[in-house]
Amino acid sequence: MPLRLAANKWNIFQAFIEGNALETLANLESFVRSAETASFSAAARRLALTPAAVSRNVAMLERNLSVRLFHRSTRKLTLTDAGERFLLAIRGNLEGLQQAISGMATDGDEPAGVLKVSMGLNFGADYILPLLPAFRARYPNVRPDWQFTTRQVDLIAEGYDAAIGGGIEWGPGVVSRTLAPLHLIAVASPEYLRDRTPPTDPAGLAAYDGIAWRSSRTGRIRERIMRNAAGVEIPVKLAETIVLDDPEATCRAALLGLGVTLIAVCHALPYLERGSLVRLVPQWYSDGGPISIYYASRTLLPAKTRAFVDFVAEAFRHGRLAERFAGSLG
């Protein structure tokens, strides 16, 4: 029987108001993540639940809707026609529904309390700290307690409300909201390049003095892949003339004219705009994953955390930082 999406969406919203909102939200999120991954087990890992719990949530949603959403077998999980239509209707609205539930749960509560957030020193000072006056003016009862560190913190064990970083893999129970891409580009100072012929492609970077970055977490120097807008990829391994363990330090070393380095656009941007660094092979970049804001749970976030997450995301959209941090010029 065809699924009447508009009616069912209203019925689900009524269930939020009149029934068990948290239970309905958990069922919806279990359905969406299972559809995205085609697996109850994979969805369970993303949601920090057991596969049995995810399966049970989906089954309850099917009972409430009186519609089968998945074809199940021992090897495969696929959407029914009704499931595909329901996913199309609900997927883009899930974040809004989550926010609505959070708002209802804290009805009348103003964001307040200590807001403990971790972020990198230079990224935080350049892009997050300037937001603080406006954030404090809007939410005067929130007291920021911000930690500036390159160390990957344990959000839950260390009691952080949120963290901001790029290229990070978090464990179960942590979710993220993408802010901008973490694209790395090749840079050097004008003084270093004065008597040198610029390379024509990323492979040519190996011929220059290299300022390599060693991960303080893994102890390894990572070989990067650079790509252009056409999708062509070329491996890059800089000469290890100098090895440092902090990305901002590599940027400062490049400013001193010590060689070529790969650095995130967000770190290099102020120097590129002032002309104190020059971008090499400008059509090429390395994708380091997204810069995201991380928090422990989407369901019933404290009002202070939700306010901060939304405020930062809106500031990045307004400032078009995702576009500014993109390394592709194609």
Side-chain angles (χ1 to χ4, degrees):
M1 181 170 59
L3 184 66
R4 298 197 302 181
L5 295 177
N8 277 337
K9 284 170 66 178
W10 175 247
N11 289 339
I12 289 169
F13 188 74
Q14 282 186 312
F16 285 147
I17 305 299
E18 299 169 1
N20 190 332
L22 292 182
E23 180 180 81
T24 305
L25 181 59
N27 296 347
L28 285 170
E29 190 160 20
S30 291
F31 164 69
V32 171
R33 304 311 170 210
S34 297
E36 289 174 343
T37 60
S39 165
F40 289 146
S41 296
R45 287 192 292 272
R46 291 181 62 177
L47 295 170
L49 299 173
T50 65
V54 172
S55 178
R56 185 169 59 250
N57 289 347
V58 172
M60 186 177 299
L61 181 62
E62 290 176 320
R63 285 196 300 273
N64 292 339
L65 295 172
S66 299
V67 171
R68 180 170 289 278
L69 299 172
F70 286 108
H71 295 298
R72 297 162 172 83
S73 72
T74 56
R75 300 179 59 186
K76 198 171 185 181
L77 184 69
T78 58
L79 286 166
T80 63
D81 289 344
E84 289 179 353
R85 292 195 296 272
F86 188 63
L87 178 65
L88 182 64
I90 201 67
R91 189 183 208 168
N93 299 314
L94 185 59
E95 180 79 11
L97 293 173
Q98 289 164 334
Q99 292 182 30
I101 293 301
S102 178
M104 287 167 51
T106 58
D107 188 26
D109 289 350
E110 286 294 322
V114 175
L115 179 71
K116 189 175 179 181
V117 182
S118 171
M119 66 193 83
L121 172 58
N122 291 95
F123 182 85
D126 287 341
Y127 301 105
I128 307 301
L129 197 60
L131 306 180
L132 190 53
F135 182 78
R136 288 278 296 141
R138 185 179 299 182
Y139 304 110
N141 295 324
V142 176
R143 183 166 68 84
D145 182 354
W146 293 0
Q147 315 294 313
F148 295 88
T149 177
T150 57
R151 179 179 65 86
Q152 183 173 330
V153 300
D154 187 325
L155 281 177
I156 298 172
E158 298 180 54
Y160 283 90
D161 295 295
I164 301 173
I168 298 173
E169 293 184 6
W170 295 92
V174 175
V175 293
S176 65
R177 186 165 175 178
T178 297
L179 299 174
L182 180 65
H183 287 173
L184 290 84
I185 57 175
V187 299
S189 70
E191 291 74 20
Y192 180 80
L193 296 172
R194 182 171 293 119
D195 299 321
R196 293 175 170 87
T197 302
T200 57
D201 62 46
L205 295 171
Y208 299 85
D209 296 308
I211 306 168
W213 173 65
R214 184 191 305 280
S215 170
S216 57
R217 185 168 60 89
T218 66
R220 295 194 299 269
I221 298 174
R222 181 174 175 181
E223 181 177 307
R224 294 283 181 177
I225 303 292
M226 298 193 80
R227 59 171 61 98
N228 61 15
V232 179
E233 297 185 341
I234 296 179
V236 177
K237 184 170 176 59
L238 297 177
E240 297 174 14
T241 309
I242 299 172
V243 179
L244 303 172
D245 72 345
D246 179 81
E248 180 59 26
T250 65
C251 192
R252 298 297 179 90
L255 286 167
L256 293 171
L258 296 174
V260 174
T261 194
L262 293 182
I263 193 71
V265 176
C266 58
H267 291 308
L269 195 57
Y271 306 112
L272 293 171
E273 291 174 340
R274 292 197 293 266
S276 49
L277 284 178
V278 175
R279 183 173 176 179
L280 302 171
V281 290
Q283 299 295 330
W284 298 81
Y285 68 97
S286 178
D287 188 353
I291 299 170
S292 301
I293 185 165
Y294 301 85
Y295 44 101
S297 173
R298 280 196 176 111
T299 304
L300 286 183
L301 280 180
K304 61 180 180 179
T305 308
R306 172 58 66 188
F308 177 71
V309 170
D310 290 344
F311 190 90
V312 171
E314 176 56 32
F316 270 64
R317 283 194 299 270
H318 185 265
R320 301 182 64 84
L321 292 183
E323 291 90 338
R324 293 179 65 199
F325 292 174
S328 174
L329 299 179

